[in-house]
Amino acid sequence: MPSCPHVHHCAGQGRRPRTASMPECRSTGGPCPPCGGARPGAQARPRAAPVHRRPSDRGRAPLTAPPHRQAALVIGLAVAAVGLATTVPLPLYGAYAAAGGYGAGALALAFACYATTAIVTAPLLGPLPDRIGRRPCVLLGVACAALSTLLLSLLPGIPALAAARVAQGFAMGCVTGAAAAWAAELTGNGQEGQAAAGRRAAGVIATATIGSFATGGLLTLAALALAPAADPPVTFAAHLGFAALLLVLVARLPETLPRRGDLPRGGWLRRPAFPPGTWPTTLAILPGWSATGAVLTSVPAVLAAEGLPLAGPAAACAMMAVGVLAQLAVRRIPPRRAVALGLLLLTVGAAVTFWGAATRGLWPLLLGGPVVGVAVYALVYPGGLAAVAEAASGEERARAVAGFFVMAHLGFSAGPLAVGLAVDALDAPAAFALAWGVIALSAAALLPRLRGAAGAADPG
């Protein structure tokens, strides 16, 4: 019979094997896991160590607990509930502004509350899952998402939209850091299992995010087409029911954060960082998310004031749906090359979209919107994020990603607000022409730096 490597370890700790065929291990109090106390001539069978839990650990999942097979799906649906809250009311933005007599600037200001909230709370919400736990963060995020939909259901208008966007920004900040880690911890088992579970969990969370962003507005457009008199659309009630169901399901999952005192937690704040060499790919997100924000706010507001309330939302939904689906087709492009290609497409797509909005042309809107979506959602955004992730590691990687999102949310708030104010101060064609000029100049300034860096990194 092969010897057990734990025999000498146990004997060295003052414990001796009970028999030659069944050694006793100090680490488990029973047969050694490698040999399982196999008898001569019998096949060795590994035996898992028993799990001892203290009363204070109730409700928490130990690392050796059986994996929860459906946990990743439930957590992914919770992320989808938060994402749907941001896009379900999208087709009504222009109607909110027109009904209250607000201009494009007021709509852009309310819209920017989401990104402003994300910027302000990012240093606190980043480490929050490691301070209070994964489950409380996800529950809080889903609850805030439901609150935003409830506000717009009861008080439709620009003031309620501003408050709802604050709740949505806080909700997304809560679930972003907690969901992927929690899903991986609940579905993994051991070191190798944790690595595979991490990849599966990231895929589920990414699919939930992309799917919710792509379908929320389309579902509301379909609801308006089927029941135009419904106020609010049936998708609002459906989202509230979906969020309530997820609160129940998420609450049933066990917490995985070790109890207080077991592990170091770090500080309450996480400052963003910008690794050297990533400024071109990071700055490219400014014109990218500024353009998408303008398509989501100023374009629908202008068209709604011209008697076309659904033309702007149709272009915005096409932009998001095509853009996020295109990620699957172009994900193998190197990061810097993807950002450069995205900036080129952005200048073309923004020109066509803004021209359609200025001339009330439906086909330019439906053609230009998807080009903008592919440029930003499939190329500039994932390429810039991958570039900063490759340039750092460990805690610095988390800070680098936080820095990238600070710049992204700055573009998502300041850019649309500037376009909206320009529409109110000037006429729509002049404002959109000015916005396109800024995008084109930004691309012209960044492209040489991106190409130079890409050529140095990949001479072939």
Side-chain angles (χ1 to χ4, degrees), residues 168-287:
Q168 293 164 8
F170 189 79
M172 188 59 70
C174 286
V175 301
T176 298
W182 194 24
E185 291 162 357
L186 283 176
T187 57
N189 195 3
Q191 291 294 337
E192 295 182 359
Q194 284 290 336
R199 292 190 294 269
R200 290 195 302 268
V204 171
I205 301 305
T207 301
T209 306
I210 291 172
S212 61
F213 285 166
T215 59
L218 294 175
L219 291 174
T220 299
L221 278 178
L224 290 173
L226 295 174
D231 187 19
V234 68
T235 48
F236 282 56
H239 178 260
L240 289 174
F242 183 56
L245 174 62
L246 264 299
L247 286 174
V248 175
L249 295 178
V250 169
R252 294 172 62 88
L253 296 177
E255 177 61 69
T256 57
L257 183 70
R259 68 189 186 94
R260 186 179 299 275
D262 285 356
L263 290 176
R265 304 281 183 82
W268 277 95
L269 299 178
R270 178 178 294 162
R271 293 179 290 106
F274 302 93
T278 62
W279 275 110
T281 53
T282 299
L283 290 177
I285 199 63
L286 287 173

Side-chain angles (χ1 to χ4, degrees), residues 400-432:
V401 171
F404 177 81
F405 275 106
V406 166
M407 298 301 293
H409 287 120
L410 179 62
F412 209 44
S413 56
L417 180 59
V419 176
L421 293 176
V423 169
D424 290 343
L426 310 171
D427 57 356
F432 287 138

Side-chain angles (χ1 to χ4, degrees), residues 79-236:
V79 175
V82 176
L84 285 171
T86 65
T87 55
V88 161
L90 175 62
L92 300 176
Y93 284 177
Y96 290 158
Y102 295 97
L107 175 58
L109 182 60
F111 178 82
C113 290
Y114 172 95
T116 303
T117 302
I119 293 174
V120 172
T121 59
L124 175 63
L125 295 182
L128 193 63
D130 293 329
R131 303 292 306 189
I132 68 172
R134 281 80 160 113
R135 181 171 57 191
C137 286
V138 176
L139 288 173
L140 184 59
V142 176
C144 288
L147 176 62
S148 71
T149 301
L150 183 61
L151 281 173
L152 291 175
S153 300
L154 300 177
L155 301 170
I158 293 299
L161 178 61
R165 294 292 288 175
V166 171
Q168 293 164 8
F170 189 79
M172 188 59 70
C174 286
V175 301
T176 298
W182 194 24
E185 291 162 357
L186 283 176
T187 57
N189 195 3
Q191 291 294 337
E192 295 182 359
Q194 284 290 336
R199 292 190 294 269
R200 290 195 302 268
V204 171
I205 301 305
T207 301
T209 306
I210 291 172
S212 61
F213 285 166
T215 59
L218 294 175
L219 291 174
T220 299
L221 278 178
L224 290 173
L226 295 174
D231 187 19
V234 68
T235 48
F236 282 56

